[in-house]
Amino acid sequence: ISSGTTTLTAADSGTTVIFNSADATNVVLPAPVQGMKFHFITAVTATADHAINAATDDHGFLGGVSIHSSAAGNSDSFAAATDGNNDFITMNGTTTGGHAGSFITCIATSSTSAAKVWAVTGMLLGSGTLATPFGDAQL
């Protein structure tokens, strides 16, 4: 996908979304249906935010990602808030990931409107002092 906002649908489940622009890009997940799955890969290092967000505040993330820095020996892992209220993943191209090669998978764990409905795993590449990509709003 290129820059701008793209809203996914249930029919898109199973697809791989490729961030192929360095510009700001936002992908909105659809209302969850249990087993729905989306893969996200960054092909071009972000110079503005690459964001993934749940359709509503009620559909937060569960799980976490690892971020590896371009600085040798610098990596960290970050988890979504345990209350399930984080409904944004923001890769800024530096501290919260988003270098080319970063990837995330989101899987719907339920078809109901509830916190912690999107299970997330991934490996991001970044630089600088690493920070969580998870937030209640775009970081």
Side-chain angles (χ1 to χ4, degrees):
I1 61 174
S2 55
S3 60
T5 298
T6 299
T7 300
L8 300 174
T9 67
D12 296 319
S13 180
T15 62
T16 299
V17 177
I18 300 174
F19 292 104
N20 58 10
S21 172
D23 297 332
T25 307
N26 184 43
V27 178
V28 180
L29 295 167
V33 174
Q34 188 173 18
M36 189 181 284
K37 181 187 296 187
F38 298 96
H39 301 284
F40 299 90
I41 298 175
T42 301
V44 176
T45 297
T47 57
D49 292 347
H50 286 174
I52 302 165
N53 65 282
T56 70
D57 288 340
D58 294 333
H59 301 155
F61 295 110
L62 162 73
V65 297
S66 294
I67 305 178
H68 300 278
S69 176
S70 56
N74 187 8
S75 64
D76 208 339
S77 295
F78 298 94
T82 57
D83 62 9
N85 287 334
N86 290 158
D87 52 359
F88 280 82
I89 300 170
T90 307
M91 297 175 284
N92 64 7
T94 57
T95 59
T96 62
H99 281 210
S102 295
F103 66 89
I104 292 175
T105 299
C106 298
I107 302 171
T109 62
S110 173
S111 298
T112 61
S113 181
K116 302 186 226 180
V117 76
W118 289 104
V120 176
T121 187
M123 196 278 301
L124 307 179
L125 303 171
S127 59
T129 302
L130 302 176
T132 185
F134 295 100
D136 294 348
Q138 188 170 337
L139 303 176

